[in-house]
Each structure stands twice: as C-alpha cells, then as structure tokens.
C-alpha cells in the first residue's frame, strides 16, 4: 500500500455506491482514514468492511444529508472523533432528467435537487471551515458535471444545483485561499453508476466506469488542482467564453440526434 495520504483524514459524502464508494477504497489504499457518509447503512458498512479487510481505516456515518439535525449531529461527531480533517469531498447528489416543458408545475424538482446537491454540501462545508482555519489547511472537492461546461438540455434542476455549488466553492477559495483553504471542482463526464442507470437509453451510451471516475477524485485530493476536467469539457468552456450563442444553438440538434440514436440502440 502506497502511503501518499498517510495521516490524512478525508470526509467523503455519497460513499455508499458508485464513484464515492470506489474513491473511498482508493483513498484508503493510499493511507488516508476515510469517513464515509450516506443514508444506506448496509452499503456503507460493506464499503467500510472491504477497506478494513484490505488493511485500511474507514468509519461509516449513516446520515440523511438533507436533514439539518442529522447533519449537524454527524458533523459534531466528525469534529469530536477526528483531531484533524484534511479534506471534504462533497459527492452525494441526486439527478433529475426532465424537460422544462414537463416541469412547469414541478418546482419541487428544483427544491429536492438543491436540498442535497447544494444546501447539504454547503451546510457540511460551513461546519468544517472553522477546523480548516484552525489547522491552516483544508481541501474541499466537489463532484460536478461536464454538463455545466456544455449547454445541454433536460437536466435544468440538476445542473443549476451543480453550478450553484461551483460558485460557492469559487467564493470559498477567493475568501479563504490565503488561510489554507483550497478546492477542486471535478467535472465528470457520464459515468456508469446507479445514477446514470436510472435512464434506460443511457445503457447504450459509452461511459466512464466508476472505478476510473474515482481516480479523478483521488487526483483532486492528491494534487489539489483547481479543477479536474476532460479535454472536451475544457474545450467547451473556451467555446462558451468566446461563441456561446453559436455553441448553444449548435449543440441543440446534436443532442436531439444523440437521444434518437440512443433510443434506437437501446430498443434494438
Ligand atoms: N454518474 C454520472 O454519470 C455522473 C456524471 C457527472 C457527475 N456525477 C456526480 O458524481 C457524484 C456521484 O454520483 P454517482 O454517479 O456515483 O451516483 P450514485 O451511485 O447514485 O451515488 C450517489 C450517492 O449520493 C448519496 N446520497 C444521495 N442522497 C443522499 C442524502 N439525502 N443523504 C446522504 N447521501 C445521499 C447516495 O447514498 P444513499 O442513497 O445511501 O444516501 C450515494 O452514495 C454525484 O455528485 C453526481 O452528481 C455523476
């Protein structure tokens, strides 16, 4: 076991499945003590058992992060049980794929995505900031999406919540970067997990594995870059900074065509 993260304690949300569970295993293999947060206790315990079996150190904290009382109780425990907390990975999230025209009476879609993707992450970050300042170091990682870099349809509630968290994280570093607080935004492309599995037609789409995606979170923790992105995502950002109208109009028919092709492939 390489010990690049030996002595570090990392709090990781959304660690019961998908990218978070894989990242927890990898971070523990690098010597970190990992604190795993999510609702499903059995799944969390299974990840913790895997890590301990491999010689690592992990602790499960079952919590519904949209419940303020539960979250406050868990952060109090985290602060009491760990003398240092080196990094927080805000990875827990939910996604909703729905056209805006089918969402006219569904403001609650926005409320429930914001509840976990934005407010829960902000609540947790605010609770750990005093510790980061006291230690004079603390790294915050957020799991975002390449789709905030490219104008794509059908995910308005999800993407708005991710963009809000990106903005909060930028402010965090703008204000506290001089006092040791750093952050990385990870712009994942599509990844094969429970989240993407909820959309039938995506079964036919080539995607990153959760194992490979977890390496992006590991890079964020080890190297602490400002962002981890695909080349396509970075290129789209340049496009949006220079020719936003052209790019947005150009992507529209492309996405329609892609959805039709995926539907055909999924049926066939
Ligand atoms: N999969 C993709 O294509 C993709 C693409 C771009 C970005 N991402 C981002 O990558 C991150 C990981 O997603 P994933 O693909 O690995 O999906 P996933 O397997 O569905 O993981 C989502 C995690 O969030 C946790 N979670 C959800 N609601 C929660 C709540 N109220 N309280 C506590 N934990 C909660 C879930 O645990 P419980 O259900 O046990 O609570 C689960 O561990 C997310 O931020 C997602 O937006 C994914």
């Amino acid at each position: 076991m390489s010990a690049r993260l030996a002595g570090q304690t990392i709090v990781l949300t959304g660690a019961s499945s998908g990218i978070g569970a894989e990242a927890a295993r990898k971070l523990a293999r690098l010597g970190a003590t990992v604190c795993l947060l999510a609702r499903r206790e059995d799944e969390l315990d299974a990840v913790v058992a895997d890590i301990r079996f491999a010689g690592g150190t992990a602790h499960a904290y079952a919590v519904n992060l949209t419940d303020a009382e539960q979250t406050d109780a868990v952060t109090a425990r985290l602060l009491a049980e760990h003398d240092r907390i080196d990094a927080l990975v805000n990875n827990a999230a939910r996604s909703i794929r729905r056209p805006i025209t089918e969402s006219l009476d569904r403001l609650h879609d926005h409320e429930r995505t914001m509840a976990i993707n934005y407010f829960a992450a902000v609540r947790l970050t605010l609770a750990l900031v005093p510790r980061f300042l006291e230690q004079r170091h603390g790294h915050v990682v957020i799991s975002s999406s390449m789709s905030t870099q490219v104008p794509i349809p059908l995910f308005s509630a999800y993407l708005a919540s991710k963009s809000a968290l990106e903005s909060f994280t930028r402010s965090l570093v703008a204000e506290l970067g001089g006092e040791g607080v750093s952050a990385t935004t990870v712009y994942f492309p599509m990844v094969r997990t429970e989240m993407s599995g909820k959309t039938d037609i995506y079964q036919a789409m080539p995607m990153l594995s959760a194992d490979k995606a977890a390496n992006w979170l590991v890079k964020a923790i080890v190297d602490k870059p400002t962002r981890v992105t695909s080349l396509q995502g970075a290129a789209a950002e340049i496009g949006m900074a220079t020719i936003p109208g052209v790019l947005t109009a150009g992507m529209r028919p492309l996405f329609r065509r892609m959805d039709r092709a995926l539907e055909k492939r999924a049926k066939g």
Side-chain angles (χ1 to χ4, degrees), residues 185-203:
T185 297
V186 180
Y187 296 95
F188 288 117
M190 291 297 289
V191 184
R192 199 158 302 285
T193 63
E194 287 176 22
M195 184 179 279
S196 54
K198 285 182 183 138
T199 306
D200 286 346
I201 62 166
Y202 289 166
Q203 299 319 307

Side-chain angles (χ1 to χ4, degrees), residues 14 16-17 19 39-40 64-65 91-93 144 158 162 189 191 193:
S16 59
S17 61
I19 305 168
R39 288 166 302 183
R40 289 169 296 172
N64 180 352
L65 290 167
N91 171 72
S144 194
Y158 173 70
K162 291 291 187 185
V191 184
T193 63

